[in-house]
Amino acid sequence: MSKFSLDGRNAIVTGASQGIGKTVAETLAEAGANVSICSRAQERVDPVAEGIEEDGGTAFAMECDVRDADAVQEYVDATVEEFGGVDLLVNNAGGEFVAPFEEISENGWKSIVDLNLHGTRHCVQAAGEYMRENDGGDIINISSVNGQHAAPNESHYSASKAAIIRFTETLSAEWDKYGISVNCIAPGLIQTPGVAETLGIDESDMPPREEVQRRIGHTEDVADVVHFVASDAAAFINGETITVKGTPRPGNSMSNDLGLDN
């Protein structure tokens, strides 16, 4: 099982204050990685780092808005100073809101594209520079099933997540020569704090992870796939999008699961 170890790897996980990002950070730390995590608010990401260290891991936390290229560069530089390098980048930071296309303002559209797509670009640009100069690494971009299929009432979100998939494929071809693998994970409906609030779901409503036929997933379902793709066990995977969606309802979109397609 040593091929699944991340001992000595230096990882960055964006948007790690809660939900998928938090669980990814905890999972990578448990596998042996030194984990650098960020969020737009220092007070939200500090407890996550403290929890990782209490469990015996190594963590570094810093406030960073991924929409700001200069802030991202400062964050990546600080991570390199703290850990000595960057071997793994997980682009998880993102956001969405639900509205029909005709009601989405120009500012609303730009806000989602800026966070989801441009934020991913900023992080790849900054961390990728270190990877190219230091024997490669792994980049994992978090997209969505709504970037793969129609997602009514989420045109802005769907467009940004679809772009991340194409960006992943193109960059994997360009950066293979540097020893950098670039892959993408597309989660379906996952119980994050935002989804839980929208659907009124709490832990008592969640089916156990052992249940195969599930319409909603745990954050661990995504984090375990991130762990696999980041490990040597996935060394022959590059430029791929791995879907983590369980048993979705017809239409395969999160908006359909939320009952928003009508």
Side-chain angles (χ1 to χ4, degrees):
M1 298 298 291
S2 61
K3 66 180 66 176
F4 292 98
S5 172
L6 299 180
D7 284 348
R9 300 285 298 280
N10 300 314
I12 287 176
V13 183
T14 66
S17 64
Q18 62 179 5
I20 291 172
K22 176 177 180 291
T23 305
V24 166
E26 293 168 343
T27 300
L28 297 181
E30 185 177 358
N34 304 315
V35 181
S36 172
I37 56 179
C38 72
S39 171
R40 280 183 279 181
Q42 188 74 44
E43 63 270 19
R44 296 186 64 193
V45 76
D46 278 342
V48 180
E50 292 168 3
I52 289 172
E53 293 188 335
E54 287 172 0
D55 289 336
T58 300
F60 170 73
M62 182 171 168
E63 179 178 321
C64 178
D65 185 341
V66 299
R67 297 172 297 182
D68 183 337
D70 291 337
V72 169
Q73 186 65 61
E74 182 180 351
Y75 166 59
V76 172
D77 289 344
T79 297
V80 171
E81 183 176 354
E82 181 75 16
F83 292 152
V86 177
D87 307 300
L88 169 63
L89 168 65
V90 182
N91 281 307
N92 172 74
E96 66 174 314
F97 64 85
V98 177
F101 174 74
E102 64 272 18
E103 295 180 10
I104 300 174
S105 67
E106 181 177 4
N107 184 63
W109 180 280
K110 287 182 177 179
S111 68
I112 295 302
V113 173
D114 197 23
L115 176 57
N116 295 348
L117 181 57
H118 297 164
T120 295
R121 183 260 183 189
H122 295 155
C123 294
V124 168
Q125 183 180 44
E129 181 179 358
Y130 285 99
M131 292 182 183
R132 292 195 307 273
E133 295 175 354
N134 294 278
D135 301 321
D138 293 279
I139 296 172
I140 300 175
N141 298 320
I142 305 299
S143 179
S144 168
V145 294
N146 288 356
Q148 299 173 309
H149 307 284
N153 298 306
E154 294 185 315
S155 58
H156 50 341
Y157 178 78
S158 180
S160 68
K161 291 299 187 177
I164 287 173
I165 293 173
R166 298 286 86 82
F167 173 56
T168 296
E169 293 170 352
T170 302
L171 194 64
S172 71
E174 290 187 17
W175 282 9
D176 179 67
K177 63 185 178 183
Y178 299 116
I180 300 173
S181 67
V182 189
N183 289 290
C184 188
I185 295 174
L189 186 61
I190 305 295
Q191 192 218 25
T192 62
V195 169
E197 181 179 353
T198 300
L199 297 181
I201 298 171
D202 59 37
E203 287 296 330
S204 64
D205 299 318
M206 286 292 293
R209 290 191 70 199
E210 293 75 17
E211 183 178 321
V212 177
Q213 301 298 323
R214 286 182 282 139
R215 297 191 188 279
I216 184 168
H218 298 257
T219 54
E220 290 86 354
D221 293 317
V222 180
D224 286 346
V225 178
V226 172
H227 175 197
F228 164 66
V229 174
S231 73
D232 290 342
F236 203 53
I237 298 176
N238 193 20
E240 299 298 329
T241 295
I242 300 174
T243 305
V244 184
K245 66 180 181 182
T247 307
R249 294 172 181 164
N252 294 323
S253 75
M254 187 181 299
S255 59
N256 191 43
D257 277 315
L258 294 174
L260 299 171
D261 281 353
N262 297 324

